Amino acid sequence: MSGSGKLALIAGGGGLPVEIATHLRASGRPYIVIRIENLSDAALEAHPGYMLGLGDFLKLFEILSNEQCKAVCMCGYVQRPDFDAMPRDEMGARVLPTIQSAGRGGDDSLLRQLANVITAQGYVIEGAHEAHPGLLIGSGLQAGPDLSPAAMEDAQKALQVAAAIGQLDIGQAVIVAGGVTLAVEAQEGTQAMLRRIPLLNAALRGTVEARKGVLAKLAKPIQDLRLDMPTIGVATVDDVAEAGLCGIVARSHHLLIVDKPAVFARAAEKGVFIYGHDDT
Amino acid sequence: MSGSGKLALIAGGGGLPVEIATHLRASGRPYIVIRIENLSDAALEAHPGYMLGLGDFLKLFEILSNEQCKAVCMCGYVQRPDFDAMPRDEMGARVLPTIQSAGRGGDDSLLRQLANVITAQGYVIEGAHEAHPGLLIGSGLQAGPDLSPAAMEDAQKALQVAAAIGQLDIGQAVIVAGGVTLAVEAQEGTQAMLRRIPLLNAALRGTVEARKGVLAKLAKPIQDLRLDMPTIGVATVDDVAEAGLCGIVARSHHLLIVDKPAVFARAAEKGVFIYGHDDT
């Protein structure tokens, strides 16, 4: 579902917020961009909006009210701040301890608490995929070579293992090659997981010359897709290629692809597939 | 259960085979040691036995027959060989391709196939813990400080997650801290998993000064404990200490501890607990 009403885009780092802002401008939907100090891409200065510190909650809600926003979309990369050293206004001083405390349960929990603070003020939380549905992976082969039968088996098993890992609230990515689960992502992130694959026993994994295995990315059931949809970008394709894998699989319409044209071009160039698997 | 009849100890690398051989000599049970070229500890030359290459299957079974062995215990570390380059006798040439092929399913699968070759010749496979029951972890606190309530909660959750990971045939170790699963072991091994903990977000993990979290080691249900019981040694305690964890938990009587006196002394020195959890 696509959003409606004036949208405030709270922009973390990276290219995703720029892509969404550009889409909002092109679509004619009213919006503002809340840039975050030392974090948001400079390209966002070309959009209507404001610059705030991470702890400026009072100012944030003044802006949202004055601008008559209806919805808030938080997107882009945010390194977890040093809460104890973070400057904050009067409202920040009230809400930040609870957010910090929720953060001890992981990033999901931190983001949910932050979203609670925003919805408590009467705003709707909108996912990046609602603000810009074109970011989502489609159904079937998206880019790169066709899947061999072995790669399709690995893709299906990787999705199954990822679903089980997600049920346990562990992480959202796994790598399966030749039916063997090579790696499971917990708190280290997808990139760190991919980078340990070339260190594994050569009998179990592929190489850049002879690719084997598939990365699956799948949201955890507990994860709020409006806050943290699984995401890939050009760097993910590069890391998957370097890890000697055949490709990337996700549930169709459940993965954000940042800069889709560049990602698809890189996948084709490196010979890595990107596949949206339909539920069966 | 403890073994009976003459035992052939096939000795991989490391201190475990030496400890078992020393126990066998002390216990008076008849035994021989099959040392593996370029692999077994030199201390094993002091025991009755033979030196073989990894591919010398015909010689192995001649020795087992001539020596009237009843049981075989495979223990110690074996780096997975380059099967294609491995010298082999006539019988090795027959059985190695199947073992190599099984190895594509992981080390468990390789060891099971190797055990099949041995049992097919009429020998009983005996686990290290059957040859030397004193290696097993006991029940309750074994070494190091008492568990805080938070550490006990992490220990119990880590065992639960490890059991679930094992059901999925992924791996045998996980790390939980403050209720969050920090890392899951798949094919990279326990040491590599421990060494990525200090790279995680500081809000989620402990430090050497302020320890947090527990390593659980638990066999997979598919794992044959006679072939590959979860094992720790002094290096594991060092890695757990460096990772800023509080301790190590396992099912009571289901973890091998190589050089128990040294492991317990190191655990006490570093302030890391070792705990054998009874089934509930």
Side-chain angles (χ1 to χ4, degrees):
Chain A
M1 104 198 116
S2 202
S4 64
K6 188 167 184 177
L7 178 69
L9 189 65
I10 303 184
L16 181 61
V18 182
E19 206 174 335
I20 297 173
T22 305
H23 168 76
L24 291 169
R25 182 162 55 195
S27 72
R29 181 175 175 191
Y31 74 103
I32 56 168
V33 177
I34 307 291
R35 304 191 304 280
I36 302 172
E37 240 165 28
N38 303 319
L39 190 59
S40 306
D41 194 295
L44 291 168
E45 292 165 22
H47 294 270
Y50 303 82
M51 169 83 86
L52 292 182
L54 267 179
D56 294 341
F57 282 83
L58 210 55
K59 281 189 218 155
L60 171 65
F61 288 114
E62 274 171 17
I63 293 166
L64 296 185
S65 167
N66 292 341
E67 291 277 350
Q68 300 185 287
C69 293
K70 301 293 178 209
V72 171
C73 174
M74 299 188 282
C75 64
Y77 182 72
V78 180
Q79 178 103 47
R80 192 190 282 237
D82 178 352
F83 280 101
D84 297 326
M86 197 166 125
R88 59 197 65 189
D89 62 22
E90 179 191 326
M91 183 175 182
R94 277 208 316 278
V95 300
L96 278 171
T98 319
I99 294 172
Q100 176 175 12
S101 167
R104 293 197 194 99
D107 289 342
D108 294 350
S109 163
L110 188 156
L111 282 169
R112 275 195 300 274
Q113 185 54 36
L114 180 55
N116 286 344
V117 170
I118 292 169
T119 53
Q121 301 286 329
Y123 299 96
V124 171
I125 295 285
E126 199 170 303
H129 61 292
E130 292 166 331
H132 183 4
L135 293 166
L136 287 173
I137 190 171
S139 167
L141 186 66
Q142 307 290 294
D146 270 327
L147 282 70
S148 68
M152 184 56 91
E153 276 182 35
D154 281 343
Q156 286 171 343
K157 172 149 186 195
L159 284 173
Q160 283 161 15
V161 175
I165 293 299
Q167 287 286 354
L168 295 164
D169 193 23
I170 291 174
Q172 51 170 253
V174 305
I175 296 168
V176 170
V180 177
T181 303
L182 297 190
V184 170
E185 176 191 338
Q187 291 294 325
E188 73 275 24
T190 304
Q191 184 177 70
M193 178 183 61
L194 283 164
R195 293 193 173 171
R196 64 179 182 259
I197 299 302
L199 306 175
L200 299 180
N201 191 310
L204 295 174
R205 59 174 169 81
T207 61
V208 173
E209 293 74 32
R211 298 191 172 282
K212 182 179 174 187
V214 177
L215 167 69
K217 285 205 77 157
L218 197 65
K220 299 186 273 188
I222 200 181
Q223 213 168 316
D224 186 330
L225 296 179
R226 299 168 309 158
L227 301 175
D228 186 21
M229 174 83 82
T231 302
I232 64 168
V234 171
T236 318
V237 174
D238 285 341
D239 288 333
V240 163
E242 285 298 306
L245 303 180
C246 299
I248 302 169
V249 66
R251 274 181 70 199
S252 56
H253 317 300
H254 286 77
L255 178 77
L256 290 180
I257 303 179
V258 182
D259 198 352
K260 211 179 246 190
V263 166
F264 287 1
R266 187 67 60 91
E269 177 199 331
K270 301 263 181 172
V272 158
F273 64 73
I274 298 175
Y275 191 87
H277 196 274
D278 292 323
D279 289 333
T280 49
Chain B
M1 108 196 114
S2 200
S4 64
K6 188 167 183 177
L7 178 69
L9 190 66
I10 303 185
L16 182 61
V18 182
E19 206 174 335
I20 297 173
T22 305
H23 169 75
L24 291 169
R25 181 162 57 195
S27 72
R29 181 175 175 190
Y31 73 103
I32 57 168
V33 176
I34 307 290
R35 303 189 306 279
I36 302 171
E37 241 164 28
N38 304 320
L39 190 58
S40 307
D41 193 294
L44 292 167
E45 292 165 22
H47 294 269
Y50 303 83
M51 170 83 87
L52 292 182
L54 267 179
D56 294 342
F57 282 83
L58 210 54
K59 282 189 218 154
L60 171 66
F61 287 114
E62 275 171 17
I63 292 166
L64 297 184
S65 168
N66 292 342
E67 291 276 352
Q68 299 186 288
C69 293
K70 301 294 178 208
V72 171
C73 174
M74 300 189 282
C75 63
Y77 182 70
V78 180
Q79 178 103 49
R80 192 188 281 236
D82 179 352
F83 280 100
D84 297 325
M86 197 165 126
R88 58 197 67 188
D89 61 21
E90 179 192 324
M91 183 174 182
R94 278 209 313 280
V95 300
L96 279 171
T98 319
I99 294 172
Q100 176 175 12
S101 168
R104 293 198 194 98
D107 288 342
D108 294 351
S109 162
L110 187 156
L111 282 169
R112 275 195 298 275
Q113 185 54 36
L114 180 56
N116 287 344
V117 170
I118 292 169
T119 53
Q121 300 287 329
Y123 299 97
V124 171
I125 295 284
E126 200 169 303
H129 60 293
E130 293 165 332
H132 183 5
L135 293 166
L136 287 173
I137 192 172
S139 167
L141 186 66
Q142 307 290 294
D146 270 327
L147 282 70
S148 68
M152 183 57 90
E153 275 181 36
D154 280 343
Q156 285 169 344
K157 173 149 187 197
L159 284 173
Q160 284 161 16
V161 175
I165 293 300
Q167 287 286 352
L168 294 163
D169 193 23
I170 291 174
Q172 51 169 256
V174 306
I175 296 168
V176 170
V180 176
T181 303
L182 297 190
V184 170
E185 175 191 338
Q187 291 293 327
E188 73 276 26
T190 304
Q191 184 175 70
M193 177 183 61
L194 284 165
R195 292 191 174 171
R196 65 179 181 258
I197 298 302
L199 306 174
L200 298 180
N201 190 309
L204 295 175
R205 60 175 168 81
T207 61
V208 173
E209 293 74 31
R211 299 191 171 282
K212 182 179 174 187
V214 177
L215 166 71
K217 286 206 75 157
L218 198 64
K220 299 186 273 187
I222 201 182
Q223 214 167 316
D224 187 331
L225 296 179
R226 299 168 310 159
L227 300 175
D228 186 21
M229 174 83 81
T231 301
I232 64 168
V234 171
T236 318
V237 174
D238 285 341
D239 289 332
V240 163
E242 285 298 307
L245 303 181
C246 300
I248 302 168
V249 66
R251 272 181 72 199
S252 55
H253 317 300
H254 286 77
L255 179 77
L256 290 180
I257 304 179
V258 181
D259 198 353
K260 211 180 247 191
V263 167
F264 286 2
R266 188 64 61 91
E269 177 200 331
K270 300 264 182 171
V272 159
F273 65 73
I274 298 175
Y275 191 88
H277 196 274
D278 292 323
D279 289 335
T280 50

